[in-house]
Amino acid sequence: QVQLVESGGGLVQPGGSLRLSCAASGTTIFSITLMAWYRQAPGKERELVAGMTSGGTTNYADSVKGRFTISRDNAKNTVYLQMNSLKPEDTAVYSCKGVFQLSPGPRYREIWGQGTLVTVSS
């Protein structure tokens, strides 16, 4: 069974940077079709932060555009979120979602990680 594990969260001052990682494990992955990062602050609904299609096209929430960068390493089955110029409003639990092919064919799996906490505070 595929699992996603996020790492890299922590406490950072406003204006600082963090790099989040989301690694897939548990089985062989043929391809990563889509990866995305979401976040959810306490008492708030989950929102899409950044996504990357199978073709490498990226999209970002307006609130993070120009500050966050999503990237992936298919050989390592890992997606990253580089977060720069962090603001207190960025404080949230960040979770990654992946859509995978485990073998050639029409079957895909959507998997969520457990999340990693990012706290931006002075």
Side-chain angles (χ1 to χ4, degrees):
Q1 187 173 6
V2 177
Q3 297 181 21
L4 296 178
V5 179
E6 299 98 333
S7 62
L11 175 64
V12 64
Q13 296 185 38
S17 298
L18 283 175
R19 187 194 189 207
L20 306 183
S21 299
C22 176
S25 64
T27 189
T28 300
I29 297 175
F30 175 72
S31 69
I32 301 175
T33 302
L34 182 149
M35 297 296 296
W37 285 94
Y38 292 77
R39 68 184 181 187
Q40 186 169 26
K44 304 293 185 180
E45 63 185 19
R46 187 170 59 191
E47 64 174 339
L48 176 67
V49 177
M52 175 177 284
T53 69
S54 59
T57 302
T58 59
N59 67 287
Y60 299 91
D62 288 342
S63 60
V64 308
K65 195 171 298 182
R67 300 187 297 120
F68 291 11
T69 303
I70 186 172
S71 61
R72 69 186 182 194
D73 186 336
N74 288 341
K76 298 174 64 176
N77 298 135
T78 300
V79 63
Y80 305 94
L81 184 67
Q82 179 66 45
M83 306 186 296
N84 299 326
S85 302
L86 283 163
K87 305 174 180 179
E89 305 94 282
D90 297 319
T91 296
V93 173
Y94 286 72
S95 302
C96 67
K97 179 186 76 175
V99 179
F100 306 97
Q101 285 182 298
L102 303 184
S103 64
R107 294 196 65 192
Y108 297 83
R109 293 187 182 273
E110 180 181 286
I111 306 295
W112 286 86
Q114 294 297 310
T116 184
L117 176 63
V118 172
T119 302
V120 184
S121 176
S122 59

